[in-house]
Structures are given as structure tokens and as C-alpha cells.
Amino acid sequence: MCDISHELSKISAKRSISVNAHQNGSNMKKLLSILLLATFAAAIILTGCGKNTTSKVAPATETAKEEIVDTHSDDGRFVVGISMPDKFLERWNRDGAYLKDEFERIGCEVILHYSNNLIDVQIEGLRDMIEKDADLLVIAAVDGAALGPVLDEAKAANVKVLAYDRLIMNSDVVDYYVSFDNYLVGQLQAVYIIARLGLNFTDTPKNIELISGDPVDNNARYFYAGAMDSLKPYIDKGSINVLSGQTDFYVTSTAQWSTELAQQRLQIILTSYYPDDTRLDAVLCANDSTALGATRAIESDYGSENSVVITGQDGDIANIYNIINGTQSMTVFKALNQETIVAVVLGKALLTGETPDESLITKANWSFDCSFNTTDYDNGAKIVPSYLLKPVTVTAANLEEKLFTTGYYRRNSAGMIYSAK
Ligand code: BGC
């Protein structure tokens, strides 16, 4: 595979001597799309049809300082701009690294940019990619509703746009969306709480509190809706009380998915509504960063002895330790390598002029579940055709099987957990 990529760059580089690849991009790219297809086919053969892709990506240890990794070499290969929200959360480090690795493996140039969770920084990064003649943008939006104007610039420059993990709103420029089934994430969290609190088998009302995600992240509403559609019947009939009275999405939301803000809000709730031995049974936390905040708040400000059920999402390493030590009850695990594989196969199809549909899944024959959805992801300007993956519930009982036997995580000789794919 490396040899083929190398040959591809040599051929491209030779042509670049006499031809400006970007002024004469269309001929060059026609030739390159043929070469890329050949490269990709070879990659498929050598990696077993995209199944069990092993990543050479190191664990996410980079600091937030290095904002741009630009491997653009101006040699006429397809240029892919990858725009990630931030480096604070474990997952985006991995998403960025996997995507970069995989797009480079099929012969693309990659510009990887982190936005420090700031809308303006993301927009600047995207503008930079468009100026550097990106052919495809893969974007996990900081604010799903803020990218319209810069995407119009992308459209004018004929750039394809793939919304990654988070739907980009109010723009008809978005070509496709790749994500996990976000509604199902919330449902899995709620179903877990219902089962753990035995809500179908007890008349004793239970007390829960809610910590939702960032309101500018469109996913946060899907997580909330999935969870609340399941919990609401129990709230309505009085089997669940929310003593703070805070059930509304906005009131329960957490700017930037911040651990500290989640912790502070729950601390205030605990001191105001759970004095003495008032029992709190569960906290519905939308993801692992907010779950960390909830765990800390309970450690510092909760008076009763019971262990509070805490949900999460992602399977961040700190939270895996907490599931093992019993301070967090579950997480909804999303295998990021599946999401990146789908994004790269889809991206490659877009770059080579295809109009992907359901058959992308059939042809790829992945070992994991992926569905094509053309009805549910309306971004306000169009229904964005979506490829959706299946998240899974991980608890102390199945953690070894779901995370370690599958090879997503490993332990080093000192017993420390690290992410392996
Ligand atoms: C992602 C989650 C993540 C959250 C915070 C959401 O859009 O789907 O996996 O925990 O953002 O970054």
C-alpha cells in the first residue's frame, strides 16, 4: 500500500514540474481519481475490505498547542480538510488522527485543524482549507448553525462537504452526514436508568437529575430527546421526580460539554435540593465529560450513602476507570474507528464523482452495522443523507468483552489502560 501511494505521489510530483496542479486541476484530478481508485482498491485488498483496520495512530497525547497539521504538498493529489472541534475531549484527538491516517493511506493530502472549541477559529480553519484548494471538507462542527457563510464559499469553490458526527444546520451545501444513531444514544442511557432503578417493578418514586450537552451541538438535542422520550412517561406518572424541577433541555444543558460546568451545576442542585439524607438515585449525563463533573460533584457534595447511577457516552479512559471502580455506572460506547472508516469510504466516493447511497454499505461489506437514512436528518435546508452506526451500552459487567476483547483498549505492563484502535 505504501509503495502504491509512493508511486502515486511520484507520478503526481513529476507532472507538477511542468503543470501547476491547481490551475490545471481538472485534468490532473481526472487522472488522479483513476489512480486513487486503484490505490483504494489495493488498500481494500491489503486491509481485508476495510474490516479490522489497524491504526498506527499513537494514543491521544498531543497538547492543544499544535493546532494545524498541514501535509499539503501541492502535488495535485486530492486535498482533504479535516476540521475538528477541540483537543480537550479524548475522542476528537482520536477521530482527527484516525481520519488523517486513513485519508493519507488512500493517497490524499490532509489538512487537520482543531478549533479550540471556538466558532471563529473553526471558520478561519475552513477558509484556510478552501484557499489551499481542498476538494473535500470533513467537519465536526463547534456550532452546527454557524457555518452557513463559509460553506457557501466552499460551494463556490466546488468543495464537497461531509458533516462528521455532528449535523451542520441550515445549509444546503452539506452533502452527507456520518454519525452514530444519536437518538439511540439517549435511549440507551434512559433504558439503563429505568432498568437499574427497577422502575417497572417498584412503587417507590426515584429521584433523578439531568445533565444535557452543549446547546449549539445539534447532537445534544437528539441525545436529550432519545432519553426524555423514554423517561417522560415515568416522570408523568410520578415514578421519577426531578427535585430541582430542571428538566428543560436548555436549563439542563452544559456549554462546551464542560466537566467543570456540569460539576458546578450539580453541586448547586445537591446543596439546594438534596439536603441531609435526601436521596438522589440517578444522574442522566449526556456524555463522559459531563459524567466526570457529576461524579466529582457527588464525591464532594452528596450526603447519602447510596451509590448514584451515572450514565455517560464515549468510553473515555478516565470514565472507564470510573466504571471499573464503580463511581460511574455505564457509558454508551461509540467505536470511532467505524465512524472514520465510513467517513473515508464515503469521502473517497465523493472525491471520485460518485453519488453514494445504500449500495456503499453493501459494497463495503463492513463487519459492523451501518444504515443509510434519507428521512430523519433534516438540517433546516435539506434532508441530509446519513450513514448511521450503532452505539453499545458498556457497564462493569460487559466492559472486558466490549472494550478489551474487541481490542479497542489494552492494558500496558503496569496495568494502565490505553486506546488501541
Ligand atoms: C459527540 C459526543 C461527544 C460530545 C462532546 C458530541 O457531538 O457525539 O461523542 O461526547 O460531542 O464533544
Side-chain angles (χ1 to χ4, degrees):
M1 173 61 222
C2 289
D3 288 349
I4 296 166
S5 285
H6 186 59
E7 284 311 308
L8 177 63
S9 23
K10 274 200 310 197
I11 296 165
S12 307
K14 269 192 204 148
R15 287 185 60 105
S16 308
I17 294 167
S18 53
V19 186
N20 177 322
H22 294 295
Q23 276 168 2
N24 300 280
S26 99
N27 285 341
M28 175 70 87
K29 280 175 181 171
K30 262 181 213 149
L31 168 70
L32 287 167
S33 59
I34 295 163
L35 288 168
L36 180 59
L37 272 173
T39 308
F40 190 75
I44 292 277
I45 291 161
L46 291 174
T47 60
C49 301
K51 284 179 199 168
N52 305 322
T53 303
T54 48
S55 167
K56 293 181 208 112
V57 177
T61 53
E62 293 165 280
T63 65
K65 273 187 189 163
E66 190 193 23
E67 292 300 336
I68 293 188
V69 182
D70 182 356
T71 55
H72 186 90
S73 55
D74 203 22
D75 61 4
R77 286 178 290 161
F78 284 117
V79 178
V80 178
I82 299 169
S83 177
M84 292 285 118
D86 66 75
K87 286 197 164 189
F88 307 117
L89 233 83
E90 205 178 299
R91 71 156 294 178
W92 304 118
N93 290 275
R94 281 197 229 139
D95 289 279
Y98 291 165
L99 284 167
K100 179 172 179 294
D101 225 30
E102 290 295 308
F103 273 113
E104 284 178 350
R105 214 164 54 84
I106 62 163
C108 298
E109 298 175 7
V110 173
I111 304 169
L112 171 61
H113 179 255
Y114 283 89
S115 313
N116 211 11
N117 245 334
L118 297 168
I119 299 162
D120 290 350
V121 174
Q122 182 156 51
I123 291 172
E124 270 319 296
L126 288 168
R127 230 166 238 145
D128 182 59
M129 291 168 189
I130 297 166
E131 271 164 25
K132 287 179 173 159
D133 291 320
D135 300 283
L136 169 70
L137 298 176
V138 179
I139 307 170
V142 172
D143 179 340
L147 299 181
V150 73
L151 291 190
D152 288 341
E153 293 167 33
K155 186 179 186 177
N158 213 12
V159 185
K160 298 282 179 202
V161 175
L162 201 166
Y164 182 80
D165 200 78
R166 299 172 171 178
L167 188 59
I168 297 169
M169 305 304 290
N170 308 327
S171 168
D172 64 353
V173 181
V174 187
D175 292 294
Y176 285 88
Y177 177 46
V178 174
S179 193
F180 281 82
D181 182 335
N182 296 308
Y183 185 88
L184 179 58
V185 170
Q187 250 182 346
L188 291 176
Q189 293 167 337
V191 164
Y192 180 84
I193 289 179
I194 292 165
R196 270 294 301 273
L197 301 186
L199 290 176
N200 293 325
F201 307 101
T202 177
D203 292 331
T204 317
K206 306 287 181 180
N207 296 331
I208 79 164
E209 293 295 333
L210 317 173
I211 302 184
S212 308
D214 188 340
V216 300
D217 174 355
N218 187 59
N219 283 358
R221 287 165 201 284
Y222 281 87
F223 304 145
Y224 175 85
M228 285 309 269
D229 286 353
S230 305
L231 293 177
K232 197 161 176 301
Y234 296 91
I235 297 176
D236 289 347
K237 69 179 178 200
S239 333
I240 291 180
N241 293 316
V242 182
L243 296 186
S244 68
Q246 299 176 10
T247 53
D248 176 73
F249 172 68
Y250 270 110
V251 179
T252 58
S253 68
T254 313
Q256 300 198 343
W257 298 90
S258 153
T259 297
E260 289 69 30
L261 292 179
Q263 176 177 352
Q264 282 162 20
R265 192 176 141 257
L266 188 58
Q267 282 175 317
I268 294 168
I269 289 175
L270 288 172
T271 45
S272 314
Y273 301 97
Y274 294 83
D276 309 322
D277 54 2
T278 310
R279 186 181 162 106
L280 173 64
D281 294 289
V283 186
L284 172 81
C285 296
N287 82 333
D288 279 352
S289 60
T290 52
L292 270 192
T295 305
R296 289 177 192 164
I298 283 164
E299 272 161 14
S300 64
D301 289 80
Y302 182 57
S304 294
E305 290 301 310
N306 66 301
S307 114
V308 180
V309 172
I310 295 181
T311 65
Q313 166 187 195
D314 287 336
D316 287 348
I317 290 174
N319 302 74
I320 293 173
Y321 281 113
N322 282 352
I323 293 175
I324 293 169
N325 72 33
T327 51
Q328 183 171 325
S329 319
M330 64 89 81
T331 191
V332 178
F333 177 65
K334 307 195 293 193
L336 301 183
N337 70 332
Q338 296 176 4
E339 200 172 2
T340 54
I341 287 169
V342 175
V344 172
V345 171
L346 175 61
K348 176 244 151 198
L350 290 172
L351 286 170
T352 51
E354 292 177 32
T355 309
D357 56 21
E358 181 102 45
S359 65
L360 186 95
I361 300 171
T362 334
K363 277 192 243 153
N365 193 25
W366 289 305
S367 59
F368 48 83
D369 278 339
C370 179
S371 59
F372 185 56
N373 183 307
T374 52
T375 49
D376 293 346
Y377 287 86
D378 185 344
N379 77 348
K382 69 187 270 196
I383 295 179
V384 185
S386 304
Y387 291 90
L388 301 175
L389 294 152
K390 277 227 155 52
V392 291
T393 296
V394 168
T395 64
N398 70 359
L399 184 136
E400 285 298 326
E401 178 210 335
K402 298 286 181 202
L403 300 187
F404 289 90
T405 313
T406 48
Y408 287 115
Y409 293 90
R410 295 213 176 106
R411 292 182 176 86
N412 67 13
S413 53
M416 305 294 285
I417 296 169
Y418 64 94
S419 127
K421 66 172 179 179

